[in-house]
């Protein structure tokens, strides 16, 4: 495994507080020396702890800038990753080996649901075949029309440089669903509700058969609830919400039937969702799956993704408690009170998470969210790396 694979795997195993995975991993990668190499979970953990120590020592003893606060928070997240079950990342020799192992299992789960995804071989390439070579996707599933027009053999294609532990297995489960509609009416553009159904049946249902709910939830948090990430990923989240509505009404069988009917039927179903006519859809009603339901309820409805702050604001918020003075909060956060005081004044008014009465916190909901975090798989109060 490369160090980056331990890093990504550990992120999906941890309740990290950052709100943009690309910015966080880019920051961490830039800390590493070019020859940084991890040949075991223990080595990877040691590298992560060293990086956290370097960030803490680089920050001033009393935080007075956004840069100092960012170092403190990133150091905390790195220690979480270092303390995660990195041995789970090391179960296979490579991510490619993980996919070779889990791919057939994923396909069999979907075949049992009535989706013929057997003729969808895994293809790992350095560059996607033309004309898709310009895209920065991690994976894609060409349609029958792509095979006829461009000579691209069918299958699920992954870019080698985008492979990640856990994430790639979930992504394969998503992409392989598209291979069914890609054979039925490939002339119709996918996107829309089809992406949401692939997320429910592939990522959440088939993915749940091999990944823990914690890992799957974190994949969805970082992939769909990230802040200042490409707009496309929030679009995917909204289509997953649409699909989860249909899942609640018609179960796994209803969604599988839509995939079997093809893209025109899926676009018609999306129209029904958008116009409030869901109950008029002629779909079979089937069972739901408890594990899939829990993940969807959390990722689509339960998770609160909007409490994202600058590093300095976040660092201060984590020390806010009812009854404390501004100076006590700053002391608890390790922040210079001449800097932290004005930030807290503004933050209380803007966030509505707490109410300041003179120099003291009169009311606060911060503690409630931090308590919820103790039993959750993900952080609720998050920071945005710069």
């Amino acid at each position: 495994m490369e160090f980056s694979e331990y890093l990504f795997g550990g992120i999906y195993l941890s309740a990290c507080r950052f709100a943009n995975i690309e910015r966080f991993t880019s920051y961490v990668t830039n800390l590493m020396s070019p020859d940084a190499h991890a040949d075991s979970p223990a080595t990877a953990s040691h590298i992560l702890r060293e990086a956290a120590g370097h960030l803490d020592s680089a920050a001033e003893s009393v935080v007075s800038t956004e840069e100092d606060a960012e170092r403190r928070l990133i150091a905390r997240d790195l220690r979480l990753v270092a303390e995660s079950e990195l041995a789970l990342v090391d179960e296979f020799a490579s991510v490619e080996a993980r996919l070779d192992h889990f791919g057939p299992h994923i396909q069999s789960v979907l075949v049992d649901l009535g989706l013929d995804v057997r003729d969808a071989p895994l293809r790992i390439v350095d560059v996607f075949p033309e004309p898709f070579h310009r895209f920065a996707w991690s994976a894609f599933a060409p349609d029958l029309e792509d095979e006829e027009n461009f000579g691209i053999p069918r299958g699920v294609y992954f870019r080698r440089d985008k492979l990640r532990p856990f994430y790639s297995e979930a992504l394969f489960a998503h992409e392989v669903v598209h291979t069914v509609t890609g054979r039925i009416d490939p002339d119709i553009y996918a996107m829309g509700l089809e992406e949401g159904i692939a997320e429910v049946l592939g990522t959440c249902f088939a993915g749940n058969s091999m990944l823990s709910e914690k890992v799957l939830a974190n994949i969805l948090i970082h992939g769909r609830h990230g802040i200042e990430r490409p707009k496309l990923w929030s679009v995917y989240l909204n289509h997953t919400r649409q699909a989860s509505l249909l899942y609640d009404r018609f179960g796994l069988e209803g969604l599988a039937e839509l995939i079997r009917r093809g893209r025109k039927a899926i676009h018609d179903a999306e129209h029904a969702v958008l116009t409030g006519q869901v109950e008029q859809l002629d779909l079979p009603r089937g069972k739901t799956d408890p594990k899939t339901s829990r993940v969807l309820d959390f990722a689509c409805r339960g998770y609160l993704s909007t409490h994202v702050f600058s590093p300095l604001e976040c660092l201060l918020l984590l020390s806010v408690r009812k009854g404390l003075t501004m100076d006590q909060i700053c002391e608890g956060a390790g922040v210079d009170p001449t800097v932290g005081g004005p930030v807290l004044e503004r933050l209380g008014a803007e966030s509505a998470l707490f109410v300041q009465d003179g120099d003291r916190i009169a009311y606060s909901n911060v503690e409630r969210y931090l308590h919820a975090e103790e039993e959750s798989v993900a952080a609720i109060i998050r920071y945005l790396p710069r």
Side-chain angles (χ1 to χ4, degrees):
M1 288 287 179
E2 299 292 332
F3 170 75
S4 62
E5 293 169 333
Y6 285 111
L7 174 62
F8 277 110
I11 285 170
Y12 297 129
L13 290 163
S14 308
C16 293
R17 202 171 287 285
F18 62 82
N20 184 301
I21 192 169
E22 288 87 5
R23 291 193 194 179
F24 177 79
T25 54
S26 176
Y27 189 108
V28 174
T29 302
N30 288 336
L31 283 178
M32 301 294 105
S33 63
D35 59 347
H37 178 69
D39 56 6
S40 70
T43 305
S45 180
H46 176 72
I47 292 172
L48 289 163
R49 292 176 195 278
E50 275 200 333
H54 170 74
L55 287 173
D56 277 343
S57 63
E60 296 294 331
S61 57
V62 177
V63 171
S64 59
T65 66
E66 290 286 0
E67 291 84 356
D68 289 342
E70 183 176 56
R71 292 188 188 101
R72 291 278 172 90
L73 290 168
I74 289 178
R76 290 183 186 184
D77 278 342
L78 284 176
R79 289 191 175 95
L80 279 179
V81 175
E83 293 164 7
S84 67
E85 296 180 84
L86 291 179
L88 295 176
V89 179
D90 213 35
E91 287 179 314
F92 297 88
S94 65
V95 179
E96 187 169 345
R98 295 182 68 92
L99 285 167
D100 286 338
H101 177 82
F102 288 114
H105 172 71
I106 292 167
Q107 288 168 306
S108 69
V109 170
L110 293 169
V111 167
D112 288 345
L113 199 58
L115 300 179
D116 188 1
V117 296
R118 291 169 293 186
D119 190 16
L122 171 68
R123 303 181 188 276
I124 298 176
V125 297
D126 294 316
V127 180
F128 289 143
E130 295 186 16
F132 301 100
H133 60 293
R134 298 181 181 87
F135 291 99
W137 306 325
S138 297
F140 87 113
D143 296 335
L144 179 61
E145 196 171 52
D146 297 323
E147 187 173 26
E148 294 171 351
N149 292 342
F150 309 118
I152 303 174
R154 67 189 60 186
V156 177
Y157 287 73
F158 275 79
R159 261 181 50 174
R160 196 178 309 278
D161 62 334
K162 296 293 184 75
L163 293 174
R164 300 176 186 173
F166 311 127
Y167 171 83
S168 292
E169 296 103 275
L171 183 55
F172 178 78
H174 173 109
E175 291 296 335
V176 80
V177 174
H178 289 304
T179 65
V180 179
T181 52
R183 293 193 305 269
I184 297 170
D185 42 10
D187 55 309
I188 298 178
Y189 187 44
M191 272 302 294
L193 178 61
E194 182 175 336
E195 297 296 348
I197 297 176
E199 198 81 330
V200 174
L201 295 183
T203 306
C204 296
F205 176 63
N208 238 324
S209 67
M210 52 166 180
L211 297 172
S212 71
E213 290 180 42
K214 176 179 181 177
V215 166
L216 202 47
N218 271 310
I219 287 172
L220 293 170
I221 292 298
H222 293 302
R224 303 294 178 246
H225 288 287
I227 303 300
E228 292 188 11
R229 299 187 72 240
K231 183 178 181 179
L232 183 63
W233 307 132
S234 59
V235 171
Y236 271 52
L237 173 61
N238 285 329
H239 288 310
T240 305
R241 286 174 172 148
Q242 289 181 322
S244 71
L245 187 157
L246 296 178
Y247 167 79
D248 288 344
R249 297 289 197 282
F250 304 103
L252 295 168
E253 176 56 31
L255 293 184
E257 177 61 20
L258 274 176
I259 292 293
R260 290 191 291 267
R261 291 180 187 178
R263 286 177 178 155
K264 183 183 183 306
I266 292 170
H267 283 306
D268 289 343
E270 184 175 356
H271 177 84
V273 172
L274 290 169
T275 56
Q277 302 178 72
V278 171
E279 298 300 335
Q280 297 179 28
L281 286 171
D282 181 20
L283 290 172
R285 294 179 185 265
K287 295 180 180 179
T288 57
D289 169 66
K291 290 173 67 177
T292 302
S293 297
R294 284 195 297 271
V295 170
L296 284 173
D297 285 346
F298 176 76
C300 292
R301 293 180 278 265
Y303 183 65
L304 191 64
S305 61
T306 51
H307 287 321
V308 178
F309 304 92
S310 77
L312 184 56
E313 291 170 337
C314 181
L315 192 61
L316 286 163
L317 265 178
L318 297 179
S319 292
V320 167
R321 300 291 185 275
K322 180 181 177 181
L324 293 184
T325 65
M326 299 297 104
D327 282 351
Q328 288 173 324
I329 293 170
C330 290
E331 181 181 0
V335 175
D336 182 342
T338 64
V339 173
V343 173
L344 284 166
E345 290 262 4
R346 174 179 51 78
L347 192 55
E350 291 180 356
S351 73
L353 282 172
F354 62 90
V355 176
Q356 182 179 340
D357 179 22
D359 191 42
R360 201 172 288 273
I361 301 297
Y363 306 101
S364 171
N365 278 331
V366 173
E367 299 94 314
R368 297 180 187 276
Y369 290 125
L370 295 179
H371 177 64
E373 287 183 358
E374 294 172 6
E375 299 180 33
S376 178
V377 298
I380 297 167
I381 295 177
R382 300 185 293 167
Y383 67 96
L384 183 63
R386 294 169 302 108

